[in-house]
Amino acid sequence: MSSPQATSAAIRPTRPSGYTVAIIALVNIDTPQNVFTTMTDRMAAIAIGILCVTLINDVFGSPPVWTGLDRRINDIWRDVRSYARDVLSGNEEDSERAGALLAQVSGLRDEVDIVAHDMAEGRQRAAGARSAMLALVEIVQQVRLLRLLARGDPLAVTVKDQCRVALDDHHTEAFAFLKKLREIELSRPDIVAGAVWQIQQAVRFVESKSLLDDGLSSLREGLEPARDVRLPHSGEFAVALGNTARIGIALVAGATFLVFAGWPASVAALTITAILCGLSVTMPIPSKFAIAAMVAFVLASVSAGIVRFYVLTESQDFVRLAFAIAPVLIFGCLLSVRPAIAGIGLIMNIIFLVLLAPSNPQVYNPLTFFSECMFVAFALGVVFLASRLAWPMSALDKQHAAVRATQETLTASVAGTEHSLPALEFSLASRIADYVAASAGTSRPRRELLKGLLSTNDLSLAAASAHFHLAQGSDDSAIRSKVVQLQRALWSGNSRRLCAGARSILRRMYGREAEAREAPLAAATDLWSAGLVLEREKRRIRHFCDHSSVRKGEGGWSLQ
């Protein structure tokens, strides 16, 4: 499996915006009348860069982005299939393995946005990729529920066998068999709720496998997928607030020092500070990014000095300039290929061009060059101190943020807050990814906490889905009369009441047509899932319920 940290090197569409603001606004802080001219020049430079990249890709036959995404999704699917087979075969469920799989799927989110703009049918391919990613998340979550099946139960053995058949790309046969089995169970006067739940959960598993195949087919062929879902971008408010505070403190501190120092031409220092701060928020660990920027500064300053005072002294034509800077920029791009040192290559190219400052006529004043290097070094020092001292987000802080967000989602789901189920499923997977990334490399991996997070997510999804399907089935007078009672059962966290509610709904479905019982059947399945998760995982989930600080009526709930 690939590490979830590797995904942080993916291209982010919003990355250029931070330092573009610095280039336009701060460079002209003393000459506001030039802001418009600088803005048009900057936009022209960006447009030329985009056109050049497009031309190079077309001329040299650059492979489309979707092929790499298709390969990564297939690699993850092989890992998910292996995990599902192990659990369905009776092996112990591995929470760390499930968390790593969810982290890998969540890490593909940014690449999907790039695919949408990669070619003419990019939107259809991106929609297929989103559907496939959500199907992978659903399969992992459904396997976690199927692990709760009783061992030795003949029906449970049959259900697991059909799920394994679907994993072997025979999902059509498995779906037909499970539907027939479900009809037999629902045709009985004394419907067994547990048996219906097992079959229905397997049906959902097979449907997710079918949607995965459809999504991958859409990604490869550029056709409309069977479903088009919108997946949210992950991000916690506490992390964003910390990044904002860090940038603000760094800029204010740097500007204050420069004002009192009275250094001339110090705008470059403030501009570099803003550029590096804007780039640092896209990195998982800003302090390590600051260290990488220092290494990049050494390489960039030496390269700029050699090019400026040795290569460009004979002539100042554009061809010589292009040949002079090409090796340095190519070297920086080669450094960016490896995720571990990508920050060094990116910052090296930026600082190199700032220090080189190509112009016509070219300035060859060593004192000016040394002053520019000192200003860049000052900016690096400010960014380094800000990353260390100004609201640093430690790995433990990120873990706490993921836990708090999971708690809030559980409370909202149980209380019946309206959710988009696909968005909720992917958001919960993204939080698991954040927690796994924050826990990577720690001396004491908190396995029990990860198990609690996964169990809490299972309950949140079951509760939110139950509320959704209960609302869908509210046209039925029998269900409508019990909606409030069932919602109270969810609120109380009483597993026996939830299972009794599922039995009550199923008893009223006897003799109905297939179309009229879809929503009630889904609601009964979700209620039974919530009750089963509570029965098996109550001890772990209780750790996420702060009874001392949250009271009923203020967004909290309790376990009985």
Side-chain angles (χ1 to χ4, degrees):
M1 298 180 188
S2 62
S3 171
Q5 283 87 345
T7 61
S8 63
I11 300 174
R12 296 179 183 270
T14 58
R15 177 173 285 178
S17 60
Y19 57 80
T20 294
V21 172
I23 291 173
I24 295 175
L26 294 181
V27 167
N28 297 290
I29 195 171
D30 295 327
T31 55
Q33 67 274 12
N34 294 335
V35 168
F36 181 78
T37 302
T38 305
M39 179 185 68
T40 54
D41 292 342
R42 176 65 179 168
M43 295 302 103
I46 293 175
I48 292 173
I50 294 173
L51 291 175
C52 290
V53 171
T54 303
L55 179 63
I56 293 298
N57 288 342
D58 290 341
V59 171
F60 290 96
S62 176
V65 179
W66 70 264
T67 56
L69 180 60
D70 177 55
R71 183 173 58 254
R72 291 192 62 187
I73 292 178
N74 276 282
D75 291 341
I76 297 173
W77 164 233
R78 281 193 291 270
D79 294 336
V80 170
R81 182 168 52 190
S82 174
Y83 162 78
R85 281 175 175 164
D86 289 345
V87 176
L88 294 173
S89 299
N91 297 328
E92 189 68 24
E93 197 268 343
D94 188 348
S95 300
E96 293 183 3
R97 191 176 178 186
L101 291 172
L102 292 175
Q104 289 183 63
V105 178
S106 177
L108 301 176
R109 183 65 186 85
D110 289 332
E111 293 187 36
V112 175
D113 291 338
I114 300 173
V115 169
H117 305 283
D118 187 37
M119 51 204 316
E121 65 274 15
R123 293 186 181 277
Q124 290 86 347
R125 295 184 190 272
R130 289 194 299 269
S131 180
M133 288 167 57
L134 182 60
L136 290 172
V137 172
E138 290 170 346
I139 290 173
V140 174
Q141 292 164 345
Q142 287 153 6
V143 167
R144 284 185 48 78
L145 290 176
L146 289 169
R147 89 190 195 280
L148 302 177
L149 294 177
R151 295 179 181 271
D153 182 1
L155 179 59
V157 173
T158 301
V159 163
K160 289 181 178 180
D161 287 342
Q162 293 304 313
C163 290
R164 287 195 291 269
V165 168
L167 289 175
D168 294 329
D169 296 328
H170 300 294
H171 50 81
T172 304
E173 294 87 342
F175 185 72
F177 180 87
L178 289 170
K179 284 193 69 175
K180 183 178 179 180
L181 190 61
R182 185 178 64 182
E183 292 300 321
I184 294 174
E185 289 294 333
L186 291 175
S187 63
R188 295 179 179 178
D190 52 340
I191 298 176
V192 180
V196 174
W197 176 83
Q198 294 182 47
I199 300 169
Q200 183 65 12
Q201 199 59 48
V203 168
R204 290 181 175 181
F205 179 90
V206 175
E207 287 175 343
S208 295
K209 173 60 172 63
S210 176
L211 288 171
L212 171 65
D213 292 343
D214 175 78
L216 288 174
S217 176
S218 177
L219 174 62
R220 293 163 186 160
E221 299 175 11
L223 304 176
E224 287 285 347
R227 66 175 177 182
D228 187 359
V229 293
R230 299 297 173 186
L231 304 180
H233 286 277
S234 62
E236 299 299 338
F237 177 75
V239 178
L241 183 61
N243 289 333
T244 303
R246 189 182 303 112
I247 292 177
I249 292 172
L251 290 176
V252 171
T256 302
F257 178 84
L258 292 172
V259 167
F260 283 102
W263 290 346
S266 59
V267 171
L270 196 60
T271 303
I272 293 295
T273 301
I275 290 174
L276 295 179
C277 284
L279 288 172
S280 69
V281 300
T282 67
M283 303 298 171
I285 306 178
S287 58
K288 289 187 178 181
F289 170 79
I291 296 175
M294 293 180 180
V295 176
F297 166 66
V298 175
L299 298 175
S301 59
V302 172
S303 302
I306 293 174
V307 172
R308 187 169 182 175
F309 295 105
Y310 289 96
V311 180
L312 298 181
T313 52
E314 295 184 5
S315 64
Q316 297 186 4
D317 57 284
F318 185 81
V319 175
R320 177 176 287 270
L321 174 64
F323 278 102
I325 66 175
V328 180
L329 297 180
I330 292 174
F331 177 69
C333 292
L334 292 176
L335 290 178
S336 301
V337 171
R338 297 188 59 186
I341 57 175
I344 296 178
L346 173 68
I347 300 304
M348 174 188 167
N349 283 344
I350 293 175
I351 296 179
F352 167 73
L353 293 175
V354 170
L355 294 178
L356 181 62
S359 61
N360 192 5
Q362 183 68 45
V363 178
Y364 299 102
N365 189 337
L367 183 60
T368 301
F369 180 77
F370 178 76
S371 299
E372 292 172 350
C373 290
M374 291 302 297
F375 284 135
V376 173
F378 168 80
L380 290 171
V382 171
V383 174
F384 177 77
L385 292 176
S387 66
R388 293 284 182 174
L389 303 178
W391 208 324
M393 288 292 294
S394 65
L396 189 59
D397 292 331
K398 294 179 181 179
Q399 293 177 33
H400 287 167
V403 170
R404 284 194 299 270
T406 303
Q407 291 174 339
E408 293 169 359
T409 300
L410 175 61
T411 300
S413 298
V414 171
T417 302
E418 186 175 353
H419 286 290
S420 167
L421 293 181
L424 178 62
E425 288 176 323
F426 198 79
S427 294
L428 293 175
S430 298
R431 286 175 193 154
I432 294 295
D434 293 339
Y435 180 83
V436 170
S439 303
T442 55
S443 57
R444 295 178 58 191
R446 307 173 72 179
R447 295 186 180 90
E448 285 301 317
L449 185 54
L450 178 58
K451 291 180 180 179
L453 282 169
L454 288 167
S455 298
T456 305
N457 286 351
D458 294 338
L459 180 58
S460 297
L461 286 172
S465 184
H467 278 290
F468 174 76
H469 290 117
L470 283 172
Q472 277 191 331
S474 60
D475 294 338
D476 189 310
S477 58
I479 295 179
R480 187 168 57 247
S481 63
K482 291 185 172 291
V483 165
V484 176
Q485 297 178 16
L486 295 173
Q487 290 175 342
R488 287 176 181 172
L490 282 170
W491 182 270
S492 67
N494 190 315
S495 59
R496 287 172 297 183
R497 291 177 61 187
L498 291 171
C499 293
R503 293 191 189 96
S504 176
I505 292 176
L506 290 174
R507 281 196 299 268
R508 287 169 170 79
M509 288 175 52
Y510 178 71
R512 294 189 183 181
E513 296 181 0
E515 295 181 357
R517 65 190 183 196
E518 286 299 325
L521 177 60
T525 302
D526 296 325
L527 288 171
W528 192 274
S529 297
L532 197 58
V533 171
L534 280 170
E535 182 181 346
R536 302 287 182 87
E537 305 290 341
K538 182 183 295 186
R539 180 181 60 83
R540 288 196 177 101
I541 297 174
R542 183 172 289 164
H543 290 291
F544 297 89
C545 301
D546 188 359
H547 300 292
S548 60
S549 61
V550 181
R551 296 185 297 275
K552 187 174 179 180
E554 296 180 3
W557 69 294
S558 61
L559 294 175
Q560 297 181 3

